[in-house]
Amino acid sequence: MNSPEERLSQIEGIAQLDLQQRLEKLVEVEAELRSELGIPQKSLIVGMVGRFDSQKNHAGFFKAASIIQQNMPEVHFCLVGAGINASNQHLTKMIETTDISASHLHLLDARDDMPYLMTGFDVLGLPSSGES
């Protein structure tokens, strides 16, 4: 696995390429993220970025994720941010009230390679109630 600095350099390098090369590079990044997280290459990833805070509305994300997974069971959900981990009891209780498959939910905590992660997401959810 590449270091965060190598990943950022990889993403920044995409801007220097022509369109065909950019698309090929994006496919590489997406494949790398899926491999890192144990997600099948053909599965979609819906991501959410934000610290664990009521303003970020994780409950709303999980409600939407439950509906999505009922209709598209192969989708995976990745959440990134401070406090987004299995030791956060408030978060795990929130997750337990949903029917989201645990094997399709990835709690990544705070990371310093956001460009890499967001490039690997197919959809980025922003359920925040306080962003403008």
Side-chain angles (χ1 to χ4, degrees):
M1 177 169 57
N2 295 338
S3 71
E5 293 81 16
E6 290 170 321
R7 291 178 184 158
L8 180 57
S9 176
Q10 184 179 21
I11 300 303
E12 290 171 342
I14 291 173
Q16 306 300 321
L17 305 173
D18 69 30
L19 181 58
Q20 181 61 36
Q21 291 171 319
R22 285 182 191 182
L23 293 174
E24 291 169 3
K25 200 64 167 169
L26 289 172
V27 169
E28 287 176 26
V29 171
E30 291 173 353
E32 184 180 323
L33 178 62
R34 283 166 172 75
S35 178
E36 174 189 337
L37 299 177
I39 296 173
Q41 293 297 318
K42 302 260 185 204
S43 293
L44 293 175
I45 298 177
V46 176
M48 178 184 173
V49 176
R51 71 187 181 282
F52 186 72
D53 184 290
S54 61
Q55 180 181 17
K56 300 298 182 184
N57 193 17
H58 289 85
F61 181 87
F62 292 132
K63 183 176 180 181
S66 292
I67 294 167
I68 292 168
Q69 194 170 59
Q70 287 173 7
N71 295 292
M72 301 173 70
E74 71 284 354
V75 173
H76 284 249
F77 304 94
C78 295
L79 288 85
V80 187
I84 306 299
N85 56 61
S87 64
N88 180 333
Q89 293 180 355
H90 295 290
L91 180 65
T92 55
K93 285 182 183 181
M94 198 180 293
I95 293 167
E96 289 170 1
T97 65
T98 73
D99 57 357
I100 301 169
S101 170
S103 65
H104 288 192
L105 186 60
H106 308 270
L107 306 177
L108 305 181
D109 212 344
R111 290 183 51 159
D112 58 3
D113 56 351
M114 293 311 302
Y116 163 76
L117 292 171
M118 292 175 71
T119 297
F121 296 162
D122 297 294
V123 176
L124 179 64
L126 184 64
S128 266
S129 57
E131 306 295 331
S132 52

